[in-house]
Each structure stands twice: as C-alpha cells, then as structure tokens.
C-alpha cells in the first residue's frame, strides 16, 4: 500500500513538473511574442495600429470662379449636402442600403446604380448615394449614423451658374471626370470632384481646379469620425479665378434680344480683339449637367430642332452671302480689276454658258458703281467683279480677313468650326471635278461652297473696320496689342467703309428702311445685310402658290445675316448676327445686331456713355429687303 502511495506521488510530481514546464514554456512564448511586438517591431505595429485608428481623407479644393470683364460672377460654388457609402466599412452593400433606406428615400433605380458603382469601385473609395439632399434628410442620416456603418455624410461644394441661359455656351459646365481622364488619380476619381467639360470650364480647367489636400481624422470601429487632427493635415489649394472679356450685361441683352429664335451673335472690341458677346439661342441650363441631367430632359434638348446644346456662335457654319461683298470689293481694288466709279449694268440676271445667274432683284438695279453695288447688294455687279478677280485672289483676301480660319480665343479649337473658303484643289479632291466660272460667280456673292461661322464674320468685320489683323480673345491680354496693318491701301479701306455706311444711312441701302440708323444721337453705324439661301423654290412650287419665304416650312427658309460696326468715323465695336431660317438679313438679323451694337455704345465705359442718349424706339422691321 505504501508502495502504491509512493508511485502515485511520483506520478503526480511528474505531471506537476510537466504542467509547470508547459506553463513556463507558454509564458516564455507569450513573453517572446510580446517582446517581438512591443520591442523589436514596435514601429511597424504602431503604424498598423494608427492606420486602424486614424485615416487620411482627401480634401477637395474649391474651384475658382469665372467672372465677366467687370467682375460679375458667371460661375461659382455653393454648399451641397451629400451621402456617400464606403464598401470596406459597410459590409454587405445590400444590407447597408436597406439600413440607409429607413432614413432617406432610395428608389430602385438609385439602389441599382449605387450597387453597380460599388461593384466596380475600389472597396475604400466612397460612392455617392445622393447629392444635393435637403437639410432635413441630411440631419436625419447624421442623427442615426451609429446605426449606419460605412455611410458617410459630407458637406461640400457644387458648381452653380447664376446666369445659366446667357453663359451656358461660354462658361460651359463641369461633370465628374470620365474614367479615361480620371485614371488612378484619387482626386479625379473622387465622386464629388468635377472637371470642366465644355467652354471656359474645360479650357481653363487646370487653373480653376486647384490642388487636393488631406485631412487626418480619428475613426472608431465603424469608420465614424471621432475627431479631426488639423495640425497633421495639409489644406487644399483653391483654384484661381478666371476673368473673361465678356460683358455680362451685353451677353444677357443679346440672349434676351434673340430669344425665341435659332440665332447667334458675336460682338467685339475692334481695338483690342476682346469678345464682348458670344451668344447662341436658344440656350440651356448648365446647372442640370453638374449633378447629372435626367435622360428625358437631355433627350428633349438633343431633339429640339433649334439645337440649344449647339454653340452656333463658334460652331455654326453658314454661307456668308452678301456680307462678303465689301471684302470682294476690297480685293478688286487691291488688284486693280475694278475702279470705284466704274459701272456695271444690272438687268436682273446674267447668262454664263447654258446657265442663268440671277440678281436678288429680278428687275435689276440698272447701272451701279462699287459704292452703290454694296449699298443695294447687287449680285450682277459682283458676278462681274468675281470673274475679273478669279478664285485665287478672292480666296487670298478672304483668308487675310479671317474667313476659313480657327482662332485661339480661349475655347479649345476642337470646339470651333473652321469654315470653308473653297479652292480648285478642294473641289477636285472633294468631287473629282474641275473649277468653273459658275463656281467663282457663286463665291463672289458669298454662296456656293463658302461657309463661315459668326465668329469669323465678326473678325472679318473688325478687320474691315480697322484695316488691321485683329485677333479675337475671350481673356484679357496683359497689354493692348498693336495689331499689324493689313496690306491694303487705306483709301481702299475707306471706300468700302463709306459704302457700308451707305447700307444703313442712305436711301436705297438694304437696311435703310429697317433700321433708320443706330438710334443714338451723333453716332453713325456701318453695316451689311446678307441672305443665305437654304432652299430654292422651284417653278412647280411657284405654280402651286409657294411665292415667298413665308410660304415655306421654317427649316427651308433662308438664313438672315447682318454685320455692323460703330461709331462709323472711329470704329470701336463690331457685331455679327445670324438668324437661322429668318428669311432675310434686313428682315431678321439687322435689328437685333443694331440693338446689340447700340447697347454697347450707350454703355461705353470710356465715359462718353453719359453724353449719349437713345433717340427713339426701333422702327418696325420691313417685310423683305436684302
């Protein structure tokens, strides 16, 4: 029995020793691990611990403003309440949206969109659930945030345009950066960050954008911010303001004056080349595009026959028609093919081979010299001038005066239409046919293959008014440039100038009856009408009673054009207006152009405006005219 007791005691001692040794081993292992964690790898695990406790959040920069020439705000920012969700913190996205839907409405379309974005977005990247939410909803979500892991309310800024219709095409708008632009840039990938997509917004995006900052925050296990650590953060650098040469008052006036029509207007300071007005109507609200335009509204805009999304002022291309007759005359004087007093007898048409080329006045104008031919816009006279000049000399002058050119105005050139001033080489490449005298006739009256934009017409007008190679711009230059003189005799420029004054102020001028002058005491204007043919009424249609433009559908009516500048004796402002399917220049475009020009003259900031008073209300438009 004693022996059994001794064996039992020995077995107990062995087990106790083994347990003790095992415990010492466990404690040694724990101690070793603690030593490894706390001593040897202290720095590494402190960083990992901090990363679990602290987070760096990108700080979006404030986008710079866009201002008009006098500092009036064209584009700015306003506060916007947003709700984001971060998949890494939210867990199951379906359950996360179910929880969130208890505190804010989430339609099926929105849920599907968020789930799609969460699936293709990195887990740590926030995805926008809603933007521009009202204060009540924003407050309710914040109140219940402990119940909403992964949900992140945020107060940020969103772009806003206080004069949407007037500046939609000039300022443009911003949107989220598309994947091909965003790449892996965390700023561009942020759902609340916007980049310029059109107009000045895209042209000056780098300046307006600014630089991102970072904010260090302490978060809990749910990812909710406990406190901010601004002393360890880097502030965002706001974007710079951009100032346009546009006069907001003139821009609004032009937009309102052309309201209800598919039209465009460009006004320039001929001394500086600064664009004061760049209007295209109808317009649209760029604010709709910032947060994402509903598909129905976009479809309505896109299918509107008046093309509100299309910037007609720089993209629209039209036959310049009779607005180029001053330019054609200048080429004739330069090359000595026509003297100012030489007369051409207009009988209403001229034969060329088996074709008849008509003058717009079928009964003819009789014998006209250069001054009268410009004033009454005689086509027959310019058929003769064109035949003597030839297409190459006409084209040379046209290019020198800005036709068929792209201008670095401060909106990407890819957004501009270059127009077309044809040549024999162009026709051969395009049609495989040779150039004919009939082609030259058509070019001589601004028809045929000739195409120009309102901007190009405004530049041509400014160059005719000054005799200098005026270059347009949308941004103020550091100094007033000394534009080089064009290689034309000043006496020839003066002859064209006097004829343009006659268009407005002399009986028989194509805009004499429709305008009655500028309407400002002591100030005369110069101008030129144009009617760009869209559709030729056939003999069969005439037999059916289709006699005039009014009898045609709107889309088949002629375009109306008018170019002008003032004061005539010392030009300061030039204006070009095109009214699509307006029926005629004197009828549809002359009065809006005159009114825009008059508004600029009356408000002239040089100080002279206080001495100028509007004389009378506009005269009613004449029914017809060239």
């Amino acid at each position: 029995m004693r022996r059994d007791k001794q064996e039992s005691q020995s077995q107990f001692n062995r087990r106790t020793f083994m347990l003790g040794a095992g415990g010492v081993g466990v404690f040694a292992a724990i101690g070793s691990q603690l030593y490894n964690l706390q001593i040897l790898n202290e720095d590494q695990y402190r960083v990992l611990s901090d990363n679990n406790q602290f987070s760096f959040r990108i700080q979006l920069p404030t986008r710079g403003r866009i201002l008009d020439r006098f500092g009036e705000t064209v584009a700015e920012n306003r506060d916007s309440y947003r709700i984001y969700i971060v998949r890494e913190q939210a867990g199951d996205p379906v359950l996360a949206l179910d929880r969130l839907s208890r505190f804010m409405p989430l339609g099926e379309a929105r849920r599907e969109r968020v789930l799609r974005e969460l699936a293709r977005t990195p887990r740590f990247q926030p995805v926008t659930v809603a933007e521009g939410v009202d204060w009540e909803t924003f407050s309710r979500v914040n109140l219940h945030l402990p119940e909403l892991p992964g949900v992140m309310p945020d107060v940020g800024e969103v772009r806003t345009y206080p004069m949407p219709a007037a500046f939609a095409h000039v300022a443009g708008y911003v949107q989220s950066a598309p994947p091909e632009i965003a790449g892996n840039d965390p700023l561009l990938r942020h759902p609340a960050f916007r980049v310029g997509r059109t107009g000045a917004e895209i042209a000056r995006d780098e300046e307006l954008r600014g630089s991102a900052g970072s904010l260090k925050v302490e978060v809990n296990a749910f990812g909710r911010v406990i406190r901010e650590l601004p002393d360890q953060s880097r502030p965002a650098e706001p974007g710079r303001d951009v100032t346009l040469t546009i006069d907001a008052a003139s821009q609004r006036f032009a937009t309102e004056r052309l309201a209800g029509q598919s039209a465009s207007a460009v006004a320039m300071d001929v001394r500086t080349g600064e664009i004061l007005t760049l209007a295209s109507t109808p317009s649209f609200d760029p604010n709709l595009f910032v947060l994402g335009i509903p598909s129905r509204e976009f479809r309505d805009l896109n299918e509107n026959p008046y093309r509100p999304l299309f910037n007609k002022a720089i993209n629209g291309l039209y036959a310049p028609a009779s607005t180029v007759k001053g330019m054609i005359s200048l080429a004739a004087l330069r090359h000595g093919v026509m003297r100012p007093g030489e007369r051409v007898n207009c009988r209403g048409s001229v034969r060329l081979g088996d074709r008849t080329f008509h003058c717009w006045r079928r009964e003819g104008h009789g014998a006209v010299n250069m001054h009268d031919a410009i004033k009454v816009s005689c086509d027959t006279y310019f058929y003769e001038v064109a035949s003597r000049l030839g297409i190459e000399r006409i084209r040379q002058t046209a290019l020198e005066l800005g036709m068929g050119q792209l201008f670095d105005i401060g909106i990407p050139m890819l957004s501009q239409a270059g127009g077309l001033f044809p040549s024999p080489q162009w026709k051969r490449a395009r049609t495989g046919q040779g150039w004919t005298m009939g082609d030259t006739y058509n070019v001589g009256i601004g028809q045929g293959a000739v195409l120009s934009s309102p901007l190009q017409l405004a530049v041509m007008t400014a160059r005719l008014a000054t005799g200098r190679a005026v270059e347009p711009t949308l941004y103020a230059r550091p100094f007033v440039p000394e534009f080089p003189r064009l290689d034309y005799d000043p006496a020839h420029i003066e002859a064209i100038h006097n004829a343009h004054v006659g268009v407005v102020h002399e009986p028989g001028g194509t805009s004499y009856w429709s305008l009655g002058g500028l309407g400002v005491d002591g100030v005369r204007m110069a101008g030129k009408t144009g009617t760009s043919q869209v559709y030729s009424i056939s003999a069969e249609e005439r037999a059916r009673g289709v006699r005039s433009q009014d009898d045609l559908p709107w889309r088949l009516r002629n375009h109306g054009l008018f170019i002008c500048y003032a004061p005539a004796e010392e030009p300061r402002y030039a204006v070009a207006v095109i009214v699509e399917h307006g029926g005629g220049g004197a009828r549809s475009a002359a009065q809006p152009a005159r009114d825009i020009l008059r508004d600029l003259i009356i408000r002239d900031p040089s100080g002279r405006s206080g001495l100028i008073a509007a004389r009378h209300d506009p005269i009613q438009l004449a029914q017809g005219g060239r």
Side-chain angles (χ1 to χ4, degrees):
M1 181 133 174
R2 183 173 179 173
R3 182 181 216 174
D4 291 341
K5 187 175 181 180
Q6 287 177 345
E7 287 180 0
S8 178
Q9 182 68 36
S10 176
Q11 188 176 10
F12 174 78
N13 288 339
R14 284 197 304 271
R15 289 177 178 174
T16 302
F17 176 78
M18 290 177 66
L19 286 172
V24 170
V26 169
F27 278 111
I30 293 174
S32 175
Q33 184 65 12
L34 289 172
Y35 180 78
N36 182 57
L37 292 174
Q38 296 184 5
I39 305 299
L40 297 182
N41 295 305
E42 175 190 10
D43 293 340
Q44 175 186 350
Y45 288 103
R46 178 179 288 116
V47 170
L48 292 174
S49 175
D50 285 347
N51 286 343
N52 284 329
Q53 183 182 6
F54 300 100
S55 174
F56 280 95
R57 294 191 172 177
I58 192 168
Q59 289 286 89
L60 301 184
T62 296
R63 191 170 180 85
R65 299 174 301 164
I66 300 178
L67 310 171
D68 91 322
R69 65 187 298 109
F70 300 116
E72 190 169 351
T73 302
V74 172
E76 58 185 346
N77 310 294
R78 61 173 173 82
D79 287 342
S80 175
Y81 301 115
R82 310 181 179 112
I83 306 295
Y84 300 129
I85 189 167
V86 182
R87 185 176 183 182
E88 188 175 48
Q89 301 166 356
D92 186 334
V94 174
L95 293 178
L97 291 177
D98 287 342
R99 289 191 293 265
L100 182 58
S101 65
R102 291 156 45 201
F103 308 108
M104 65 178 291
L106 289 177
E108 199 58 38
R110 177 177 292 181
R111 288 175 65 97
E112 291 177 3
R113 190 263 303 166
V114 173
L115 290 172
R116 281 197 308 271
E117 291 189 20
L118 285 169
R120 64 173 181 246
T121 302
R123 295 179 63 87
F124 58 86
Q125 180 97 16
V127 167
T128 304
V129 177
E131 189 163 4
V133 300
D134 59 82
W135 171 250
E136 182 180 351
T137 301
F138 186 75
S139 301
R140 186 163 54 248
V141 171
N142 271 279
L143 181 64
H144 295 278
L145 208 54
E147 307 168 42
L148 301 169
V151 173
M152 188 171 67
D154 179 63
V155 181
E157 292 180 331
V158 67
R159 200 63 158 173
T160 185
Y161 302 94
M163 295 178 280
F167 280 92
H169 296 102
V170 179
Y173 55 81
V174 296
Q175 286 184 318
S176 298
E180 62 271 18
I181 294 177
N184 294 318
D185 189 322
L187 175 62
L188 298 184
R189 290 177 65 92
H190 194 285
F193 190 71
R194 302 287 188 268
V195 296
R197 299 295 285 158
T198 61
E201 291 279 25
I202 189 173
R204 294 300 179 99
D205 189 59
E206 293 292 334
E207 297 173 51
L208 292 163
R209 185 184 295 178
S211 301
S214 60
L215 175 65
K216 188 175 184 180
V217 295
E218 186 176 358
V219 296
N220 61 17
F222 297 102
R224 185 178 184 183
V225 175
I226 299 173
R227 63 187 175 118
E228 297 180 353
L229 302 171
D231 56 323
Q232 299 179 47
S233 304
R234 177 172 57 85
E237 182 179 337
R240 296 194 297 274
D241 291 346
V242 167
T243 300
L244 304 173
T245 61
I246 296 290
D247 178 343
S250 178
Q251 184 77 3
R252 287 193 300 266
F253 179 85
T255 302
E256 293 165 5
R257 183 62 181 81
L258 295 171
Q261 301 181 89
S262 183
S264 55
V266 180
M268 290 175 55
D269 184 325
V270 302
R271 302 177 311 169
T272 65
E274 293 176 342
I275 299 173
L276 307 174
T277 306
L278 195 73
S280 179
T281 62
S283 188
F284 63 96
D285 186 353
N287 293 297
L288 295 174
F289 287 80
V290 176
L291 300 181
I293 184 170
S295 57
R296 170 186 260 180
E297 293 188 42
F298 180 77
R299 186 172 61 252
D300 290 344
L301 288 171
N302 204 38
E303 294 176 357
N304 188 323
Y306 281 23
R307 301 182 298 169
L309 296 176
F310 186 66
N311 187 351
K312 302 176 183 73
I314 62 174
N315 281 325
L317 290 177
Y318 314 87
S322 297
T323 61
V324 302
K325 288 176 177 175
M327 178 191 76
I328 302 292
S329 299
L330 185 61
L333 293 174
R334 180 191 204 183
H335 294 286
V337 301
M338 187 74 78
R339 300 184 307 276
E342 185 178 350
R343 293 183 177 274
V344 172
N345 190 25
C346 171
R347 296 186 176 89
S349 64
V350 61
R351 291 285 295 178
L352 180 66
D354 59 353
R355 293 184 60 189
T356 299
F357 289 82
H358 294 280
C359 182
W360 73 268
R361 186 175 184 180
R362 294 305 174 96
E363 63 271 28
H365 290 97
V368 291
N369 59 21
M370 183 175 288
H371 179 98
D372 290 336
I374 294 174
K375 183 178 75 173
V376 301
S377 202
C378 176
D379 292 331
T380 301
Y381 180 90
F382 287 96
Y383 295 147
E384 178 64 23
V385 172
S387 67
R388 296 187 189 185
L389 271 171
I391 185 59
E392 293 298 348
R393 292 191 289 195
I394 295 174
R395 189 170 186 273
Q396 175 192 1
T397 298
L399 296 178
E400 289 174 352
L401 292 181
M403 304 295 284
Q405 305 292 312
L406 289 173
F407 302 104
D408 186 12
I409 63 172
I411 288 180
M413 288 192 183
L414 290 176
S415 300
Q416 295 182 47
L420 172 66
F421 213 92
S423 66
Q425 295 78 15
W426 170 87
K427 185 181 179 184
R428 177 70 67 181
R430 180 71 179 271
T431 68
Q433 299 176 349
W435 191 266
T436 68
M437 183 57 72
D439 295 324
T440 303
Y441 273 20
N442 283 328
V443 169
I445 61 169
Q447 301 282 358
V450 185
L451 293 172
S452 59
S453 69
L455 174 62
Q456 291 166 348
L457 290 180
V459 172
M460 180 193 74
T461 306
R463 293 183 179 184
L464 283 173
T466 62
R468 294 182 177 274
V470 179
E471 286 288 332
T473 181
L474 263 179
Y475 307 101
R477 297 182 172 104
F479 54 88
V480 177
E482 183 70 19
F483 297 119
R485 286 195 173 277
L486 295 168
D487 187 22
Y488 294 93
D489 188 331
H492 296 164
I493 297 275
E494 184 68 16
I496 306 306
H497 167 81
N498 290 335
H500 282 156
V501 172
V503 169
V504 179
H505 292 278
E506 295 177 10
T510 52
S511 65
Y512 177 76
W513 293 110
S514 62
L515 292 184
L518 184 62
V520 177
D521 287 335
V523 181
R524 296 196 305 164
M525 67 181 284
K528 184 70 192 80
T529 55
T531 300
S532 176
Q533 189 177 59
V534 174
Y535 177 80
S536 179
I537 300 174
S538 66
E540 182 181 349
E541 287 173 317
R542 291 185 185 279
R544 294 201 311 263
V546 180
R547 300 286 183 180
S548 68
Q549 292 287 303
D550 292 335
D551 298 324
L552 292 172
W554 174 80
R555 64 182 179 82
L556 297 180
R557 297 175 188 172
N558 294 332
H559 302 314
L561 301 86
F562 194 75
I563 60 171
C564 55
Y565 55 91
E569 289 70 30
E570 191 177 347
R572 173 70 185 274
Y573 302 112
V575 175
V577 167
I578 296 180
V579 178
E580 290 187 342
H581 310 294
R587 179 178 182 176
S588 62
Q591 280 205 349
R594 185 274 310 273
D595 293 346
I596 294 168
L597 182 60
R598 179 173 61 182
D599 175 69
L600 288 168
I601 292 291
I602 291 173
R603 295 186 304 99
D604 190 303
S606 65
R608 189 164 176 254
S609 59
L611 303 177
I612 298 177
R615 186 175 63 206
H616 52 67
D617 293 331
I619 298 173
Q620 292 296 317
L621 289 174
Q623 297 300 308
R626 188 66 177 163

